[in-house]
Amino acid sequence: MSVAPDYPRTLTIDGAAVETAERFEVIDPSTGRPFASAPSVSPVQLDSAVRAADAAYRTWRRDEPARQKALLAAADAVDAAAGDLAAILVTEQGKPLRDARAETYAVSLWLRYYAGLELAPEVVRDDEKGYAEVHRKPIGVVAAITPWNFPLTLGMWKIAPALRAGNTVVIKPSPYTPLATLALGEVLRTVLPPGVLNVVTGPDPLGASLTTHPLVRKISFTGSTATGKKVAAAAADDLKRVTLELGGNDPAVVLPGANIADIAAPLFWSGFINNGQTCLAIKRVYVHESQYDELVDALASIANGVKVDQGLVEGVQLGPINNKPQYERVSGLVEDAIAAGANVAAGGSRYDRDGYFFRPTILSGLSDGVRIVDEEQFGPVLPVLTYRDVDDAVVRANDTMYGLTASVWSDDPEHAAEVAGEIDAGQVTVNAHGSAITPDLPFGGHKHSGIGVENGPWGLLGFTEIQVIAGPSRRRAPD
Ligand code: NAD
């Protein structure tokens, strides 16, 4: 196997480039073939990464202005490297270049946002009886673990607030997409003090090794609910702090009388964002029976016109599915749905070419109780379901162990907002889906979609411990 010279080769440990004895292959999902390799960290090297983070923590935690300055320098460094980072992302993740650039843009946006966010102590009491203030202290070494759909954005949702609060980080990306995060490490080790951010890669067992390291004091995990439960169990044993951003089965409810012509395109792209491989993508649509055919036809017509190809091809809108197991899973869910009586309004099959390309698929004629409706498909397939009564649609939207995001679509935004309040999810948006993903708004799931939130001041607080400093009154007695 040849290794392209432009792909990152090294881990970042204690500010230095570190080679490993073992490497593993990275597959280009547009060909299904390896195109590079990534370092496989050894247990000794992993230990040294966590120890480096622990050592750096002792000074990093003390100088808040230095941290703010460093995050701004990090943002500048990412902006300068954005073209290279995006190109790596296209090849290992499969997404179109435009989407990869949006991801690198989000990285520096998050760094700048957290650089500017204040974390001042809150004075709760200041009277003659005494003085008490609540401080937010960093926790220590943070293990950040990310999935393969948005490696850079989701990594930075952890790195920026963790570092801003005074923690240090060891990040481990998915073995399907290790390179962009390794490259990020190469960029940031030029501007951050040694040990503050360490990047390690390796096959899946590395996640468990990292979460059980005794010097790790907080785990910030994004991934599937199944793995999240294992992470929670590992954290419990050592009472490590934990934030879990997990799976979703996000419903969209279209209220009777909605203007289908207006909403079809935003609805479609909210389901197919990043080829449906997005935790907060719409995973099922409920539409009133009077408008069912109209919406299915409109979505199918958009799906049939989408340009699907390798991410660097001019005008490409969707790339391949990221990896073979996911490609097999999506194919299997569609076959299962067809066997259960689904009508394939658009797509429904793989492309006859190398790589993991699947046609954007709209399924109709299904009810709840079929896997594609009840499970998280995480791919380019959207089932459209019919309802008669809005209350029933809300009950069905909520009939899941997930609760990440949802949306309600209507010509009457006030009514839609009322219905939105009935849906049990961390973010529910009106006439848009996923539109509340900004650095300043909290994002997190209810039920099995997670514990805790990321982003905004709330996300920052998740990387802190509370400390009360209290004592006698600081007021001077009147002369
Ligand atoms: P995954 O759970 O298979 O893997 C996620 C990460 O966990 C990877 O880095 C993996 O190597 C690591 N890992 C595997 N076993 C581990 C263990 N025992 N301990 C610690 N880490 C371990 O998920 P995936 O397939 O990479 O990503 C897709 C899933 O992520 C979907 O369910 C999606 O909904 C979810 N997701 C959630 C959010 C969110 O913010 N809520 C965002 C993106 C993706």
Side-chain angles (χ1 to χ4, degrees):
M1 187 185 63
S2 70
V3 176
D6 291 334
Y7 296 112
R9 288 195 55 82
T10 56
L11 306 173
T12 297
I13 297 178
D14 206 10
V18 173
E19 298 265 4
T20 59
E22 307 275 328
R23 301 182 67 82
F24 62 99
E25 287 179 334
V26 187
I27 308 281
D28 175 349
S30 72
T31 63
R33 290 187 288 277
F35 72 100
S37 71
S40 193
V41 68
S42 72
V44 171
Q45 289 170 322
L46 175 63
D47 185 57
S48 71
V50 180
R51 285 182 189 285
D54 189 51
Y57 173 61
R58 286 169 223 155
T59 42
W60 179 250
R61 63 178 301 183
R62 296 195 188 286
D63 192 346
E64 192 169 10
R67 295 202 298 272
Q68 290 178 287
K69 237 171 107 184
L71 289 198
L72 290 175
D76 289 343
V78 168
D79 284 342
D84 290 345
L85 291 170
I88 293 170
L89 206 47
V90 169
T91 317
E92 71 172 355
Q93 206 289 327
K95 64 185 64 189
L97 181 59
R98 191 192 49 188
D99 296 353
R101 285 308 296 254
E103 204 170 331
T104 58
Y105 172 74
V107 169
S108 57
L109 184 68
W110 254 253
L111 280 163
R112 288 183 211 287
Y113 170 76
Y114 276 111
L117 198 63
E118 290 307 322
L119 190 57
E122 202 182 319
V123 179
V124 177
R125 182 178 304 140
D126 182 11
D127 54 28
E128 60 288 344
K129 285 190 203 136
Y131 185 87
E133 57 187 14
V134 176
H135 289 251
R136 294 286 181 160
K137 313 293 277 190
I139 302 172
V141 178
V142 171
I145 300 178
T146 50
W148 45 260
N149 57 344
F150 291 91
L152 291 180
T153 305
L154 297 177
M156 196 45 72
W157 286 14
K158 304 176 186 316
I159 294 169
L163 296 188
R164 172 66 187 83
N167 307 280
T168 53
V169 174
V170 179
I171 187 167
K172 185 211 88 64
S174 165
Y176 291 116
T177 52
L179 300 176
T181 310
L182 288 167
L184 183 69
E186 291 186 354
V187 169
L188 294 187
R189 72 188 178 220
T190 63
V191 290
L192 295 174
V196 160
L197 174 68
N198 304 273
V199 181
V200 295
T201 55
D204 266 346
L206 172 58
S209 310
L210 182 57
T211 55
T212 49
H213 195 292
L215 289 178
V216 167
R217 296 315 312 153
K218 156 109 195 180
I219 306 165
S220 180
F221 173 85
T222 302
S224 64
T225 296
T227 310
K229 289 179 185 176
K230 292 183 197 166
V231 170
D237 195 43
D238 191 28
L239 292 181
K240 295 183 200 306
R241 277 42 180 163
V242 66
T243 299
L244 302 174
E245 295 288 358
L246 308 177
N249 191 7
D250 312 48
V253 177
V254 179
L255 296 183
N259 186 329
I260 300 296
D262 282 355
I263 68 171
L267 202 65
F268 177 87
W269 286 108
S270 306
F272 288 80
I273 171 176
N274 204 38
N275 218 11
Q277 304 164 115
T278 308
C279 53
L280 54 78
I282 296 175
K283 312 276 180 5
R284 49 198 169 116
V285 179
Y286 293 92
V287 57
H288 190 257
E289 57 185 5
S290 61
Q291 296 181 294
Y292 188 67
D293 291 341
E294 189 187 358
L295 182 62
V296 169
D297 289 350
L299 293 175
S301 147
I302 298 169
N304 286 328
V306 171
K307 187 173 168 74
V308 179
D309 213 323
Q310 197 269 349
L312 295 175
V313 170
E314 187 65 33
V316 62
Q317 291 170 290
L318 295 179
I321 290 173
N322 171 260
N323 59 74
K324 189 129 191 280
Q326 188 59 18
Y327 183 53
E328 299 295 348
R329 175 171 160 76
V330 169
S331 306
L333 286 174
V334 171
E335 278 165 27
D336 179 79
I338 293 170
N343 301 316
V344 179
S349 58
R350 302 169 175 204
Y351 284 91
D352 186 16
R353 59 179 285 184
D354 285 349
Y356 310 136
F357 291 95
F358 200 91
R359 290 186 170 77
T361 297
I362 302 293
L363 299 177
S364 64
L366 287 169
S367 55
D368 307 334
V370 178
R371 287 182 63 206
I372 192 76
V373 181
D374 291 359
E375 297 180 18
E376 179 189 43
Q377 65 270 47
F378 218 63
V381 185
L382 193 58
V384 188
L385 303 133
T386 180
Y387 72 84
R388 215 169 259 177
D389 174 69
V390 173
D391 289 343
D392 174 52
V394 169
V395 167
R396 289 159 68 196
N398 283 334
D399 188 17
T400 168
M401 277 318 294
Y402 292 116
L404 194 57
T405 69
S407 54
V408 183
W409 303 70
S410 169
D411 283 356
D412 178 352
E414 241 172 83
H415 180 215
E418 279 170 27
V419 176
E422 299 296 315
I423 299 181
D424 193 2
Q427 289 193 348
V428 191
T429 41
V430 171
N431 290 345
H433 193 108
S435 54
I437 300 296
T438 52
D440 56 348
L441 281 174
F443 177 73
H446 295 187
K447 301 191 273 185
H448 283 195
S449 286
I451 293 178
V453 297
E454 296 190 299
N455 303 339
W458 305 271
L460 182 65
L461 297 182
F463 288 102
T464 64
E465 299 271 33
I466 279 190
Q467 183 182 55
V468 174
I469 304 280
S473 174
R474 294 185 186 180
R475 291 187 174 187
R476 301 177 79 202
D479 294 330

